[in-house]
Amino acid sequence: MTHNIREYKDVWVFIEHDNGRIEHVSLELLTKGRQLAKDLGCKICAFTVGDKVEIFSNKLSEYGAEKFYFVENPVLKEYRTEPYRDSLLYLIEKYKPEIILIGATTLGRDIAATLATKLDTGLTADTTALDIDFESDAKNLLMTRPTFGGNLMAVIYCPDNRPQMSTVRPGVFQAIKDPVNIEKIREEFEFFEDKIPKKILERVKTESDKVNLSFYDVIIAGGRGIGKKENIKLLEDLARTLGGTWAVSRKVVQMGWAPYSRQVGQTGQTVHPKIYIAAGISGAIQHLAGMKSSEIIVAINKDPHAPIFDIATYGIVGDAIEILPRLTQFFSDK
Ligand code: FAD
């Protein structure tokens, strides 16, 4: 079924939250969405549902949201697909956004898929770039995502149906403040607890080493050049001294020296910290895909011809195993 696409307007960003905290990816998407809205000449809006969500409006206005659509209800205290879906669907069907952006998190992937099915529209998952196609009359959204195991980039668009929906990888876009006045639109939605198939009995936090690398301003990353698993500690020590975190290349994960949750790159996480130190990393294109937009890149490599030096702000030709502890010592003495 095709939709009357002229009825749809504005860019909407789903605000994911947990324990009263907005997920960073939602702020990143507000920044990107604001640019798309300017391109389209429409508004950038935030939307969400939850137990107490109106409190987010100050932060959302700081990040440029012009409107905030929400439903508040104690039934929505913990995430469950069905009540979230039904109340979000109510907002979407009532106000008809042209574009919906959702973080490609566990929750985001779940809710986006079920919403797209109900809305009878397309969904591009795990997008890494978003642009407007000014050549098309409808100014379609062009959504780029890796495909065939990351070997090709596919540009996808949704010509006939609306909203155009995409989940976007965390860390791809920067979250930049741009305060505006926000208009709050509260909607009521009636829930029937006995009709919701899932009940939350208890919330159990699992111990996991999952880390969101994009939260950090300083990242000390190691590649195969660090030589052995025990040398991860050299990355950890410098990261701790500089108030950052550590990461690795895919080679290091493949060698079993570090978990996948620490991998930066095309098939790992995308980061853009203020400082990225790449120690013993050659600079393969797939690694660069995840870190090349870092503000300052410091490369440490034995090989003066290593490709990482082509994008580095500063380069140190030398042995990372000697240099990393010396940097840690230097900054500890400061
Ligand atoms: P190498 O390429 O082996 O480089 C090691 C470097 O360390 C060399 O430059 C060497 O000169 C230097 N060195 C050696 N000893 C020292 C020392 N003592 N001190 C200083 N320097 C030293 N890679 C990623 O990182 N992330 C991804 O997400 C990713 N996704 C991929 C997806 C696909 C589909 C494919 C095909 C590949 C992907 N890769 C990814 C792999 C990527 O192509 C490279 O193989 C990988 O990034 C190389 O890791 P490296 O730089 O640690 O190792």
Side-chain angles (χ1 to χ4, degrees):
M1 193 186 80
T2 55
H3 300 144
N4 179 3
I5 64 177
R6 287 183 205 291
E7 285 180 5
Y8 294 76
K9 64 172 188 342
D10 294 340
V11 178
W12 279 29
V13 171
F14 172 65
I15 305 304
E16 182 175 339
H17 55 89
D18 186 32
N19 264 329
R21 222 186 98 248
I22 297 176
E23 292 292 337
H24 196 257
V25 65
S26 306
L27 304 177
E28 296 165 16
L29 293 185
L30 275 180
T31 301
K32 180 63 190 176
R34 203 167 64 227
Q35 186 209 323
L36 297 172
K38 274 189 191 141
D39 287 347
L40 291 168
C42 65
K43 290 203 183 313
I44 170 72
C45 312
F47 76 115
T48 198
V49 297
D51 180 17
K52 291 191 174 63
V53 292
E54 190 177 355
I55 45 161
F56 298 144
S57 60
N58 285 346
K59 183 133 199 172
L60 298 175
S61 76
E62 273 177 39
Y63 283 85
E66 294 167 90
K67 290 186 176 187
F68 179 31
Y69 298 89
F70 62 94
V71 171
E72 278 189 335
N73 195 299
V75 168
L76 299 160
K77 190 167 183 337
E78 300 284 351
Y79 177 71
R80 287 178 292 174
T81 308
E82 297 79 9
Y84 258 61
R85 178 198 62 204
D86 295 345
S87 47
L88 290 169
L89 206 55
Y90 174 75
L91 294 175
I92 296 166
E93 287 181 332
K94 181 163 180 183
Y95 293 100
K96 296 188 167 33
E98 187 172 2
I99 292 174
I100 296 181
L101 305 178
I102 298 177
T105 58
T106 309
L107 185 156
R109 288 181 169 132
D110 181 56
I111 198 70
T114 182
L115 283 174
T117 309
K118 288 277 177 188
L119 291 163
D120 193 20
T121 191
L123 168 69
T124 304
D126 243 6
T127 300
T128 54
L130 295 164
D131 299 284
I132 300 296
D133 177 10
F134 289 104
E135 311 263 293
S136 65
D137 288 346
K139 291 192 185 161
N140 292 311
L141 180 67
L142 300 177
M143 300 165 272
T144 306
R145 56 152 299 162
T147 186
F148 290 110
N151 290 308
L152 282 180
M153 299 304 275
V155 180
I156 297 166
Y157 69 106
C158 178
D160 301 322
N161 287 15
R162 293 291 184 267
Q164 302 164 91
M165 290 185 64
S166 183
T167 59
V168 183
R169 281 175 69 159
V172 172
F173 300 111
Q174 278 179 282
I176 300 169
K177 288 188 181 172
D178 184 6
V180 290
N181 286 333
I182 194 165
E183 181 190 343
K184 293 188 262 179
I185 299 121
R186 171 196 294 273
E187 288 287 347
E188 300 301 329
F189 186 82
E190 200 176 356
F191 296 92
F192 299 96
E193 183 64 59
D194 55 329
K195 295 222 168 79
I196 302 173
K198 292 177 198 135
K199 310 284 167 229
I200 306 280
L201 302 178
E202 195 187 353
R203 205 179 213 243
V204 183
K205 236 178 144 37
T206 54
E207 282 307 318
S208 122
D209 65 351
K210 192 166 186 316
V211 54
N212 189 342
L213 300 172
S214 64
F215 280 136
Y216 293 88
D217 283 342
V218 177
I219 296 180
I220 316 300
R224 187 157 47 175
I226 63 165
K228 55 181 178 182
K229 186 174 184 175
E230 290 65 32
N231 285 341
I232 293 284
K233 192 171 176 310
L234 306 180
L235 309 173
E236 276 175 332
D237 289 346
L238 182 55
R240 198 176 316 111
T241 305
L242 294 177
T245 194
W246 61 278
V248 293
S249 70
R250 184 157 100 160
K251 274 277 154 66
V252 172
V253 176
Q254 285 171 338
M255 312 280 274
W257 299 348
Y260 168 71
S261 57
R262 295 273 170 180
Q263 181 182 317
V264 166
Q266 189 177 300
T267 45
Q269 296 189 47
T270 307
V271 296
H272 36 68
K274 293 206 164 79
I275 301 177
Y276 189 89
I277 300 185
I281 293 180
S282 58
I285 190 143
Q286 294 89 353
H287 187 79
L288 303 189
M291 48 62 76
K292 65 176 185 287
S293 61
S294 306
E295 283 180 35
I296 294 176
I297 297 170
V298 182
I300 308 172
N301 202 300
K302 265 185 172 169
D303 174 5
H305 304 293
I308 191 77
F309 287 124
D310 296 342
I311 61 146
T313 325
Y314 302 103
I316 304 173
V317 178
D319 185 348
I321 294 145
E322 266 176 38
I323 293 166
L324 286 169
R326 279 169 63 186
L327 288 174
T328 305
Q329 188 62 48
F330 177 80
F331 288 108
S332 307
D333 293 344
K334 288 268 156 197

